[in-house]
Amino acid sequence: MSANFHLSLPCKDVATTKTFYTEVFNVELGRNTNSWLDINLFGNQITFTKSGEFNFEFKNYRLEEHILPSFHFGIILDIDEFGKLYGKLLQMDIGVTIETTFMKGNVGEHLSFFVKDPNSYMIEFKSFKEKSSIFKS
């Protein structure tokens, strides 16, 4: 089954969030007001609602030699789109972090990098070596 997802997140400032996502990721803007907005992030609906800072006091976790944020969301892209986006974000100098290959030589091997948005959310972008391994263990 294939389906889109919807995620609703609190945000600090709607205008700053709108600018970040429309300029950095060139997303389609959906319904929006001064207190909330919908964006189309790679075919998925993300809603940001002005409500202040989110409590990020969650423990991080270790994957191989990397410490990763336990709270993050992400997008899985094919290798061509992954490369284009990665190159664009590096040129924009917005703070791409943890760019690496995870699970090298194992089921689930993937390239990955993270970007922090203006609300301090970590967004992960992945590209699996074998698309069929996304849910395999």
Side-chain angles (χ1 to χ4, degrees):
M1 180 168 79
S2 178
N4 302 86
F5 73 85
H6 162 75
L7 177 66
S8 183
L9 299 167
C11 77
K12 299 175 193 176
D13 181 85
V14 172
T16 302
T17 300
K18 181 193 296 187
T19 300
F20 178 82
Y21 282 92
T22 56
E23 291 183 6
V24 172
F25 299 116
N26 198 31
V27 300
E28 178 185 338
L29 186 62
R31 295 177 301 274
N32 65 94
T33 69
N34 290 335
S35 60
W36 64 273
L37 69 110
D38 286 339
I39 62 167
N40 176 349
L41 187 63
F42 296 90
N44 300 289
Q45 183 189 50
I46 311 291
T47 299
F48 290 98
T49 305
K50 185 176 180 180
S51 55
E53 294 201 27
F54 187 77
N55 179 358
F56 285 101
E57 294 181 20
F58 300 104
K59 292 184 178 182
N60 292 331
Y61 70 100
R62 178 179 293 279
L63 180 58
E64 299 166 345
E65 72 275 5
H66 299 282
I67 304 297
L68 301 175
S70 61
F71 183 83
H72 67 274
F73 64 96
I75 302 294
I76 299 170
L77 301 169
D78 68 39
I79 193 63
D80 292 333
E81 288 299 315
F82 179 92
K84 287 178 196 173
L85 181 60
Y86 182 71
K88 174 187 172 185
L89 297 179
L90 284 179
Q91 287 182 342
M92 294 177 82
D93 194 28
I94 63 166
V96 175
T97 62
I98 314 172
E99 60 250 27
T100 192
T101 300
F102 289 110
M103 304 173 77
K104 192 169 183 106
N106 295 305
V107 173
E109 179 177 335
H110 62 278
L111 297 169
S112 182
F113 68 88
F114 288 80
V115 174
K116 187 182 282 191
D117 87 350
N119 303 292
S120 297
Y121 296 121
M122 294 300 287
I123 309 162
E124 181 180 16
F125 293 90
K126 296 181 176 187
S127 182
F128 282 81
K129 183 176 180 180
E130 300 290 332
K131 189 173 181 175
S132 63
S133 73
I134 292 173
F135 294 108
K136 287 185 179 176
S137 57

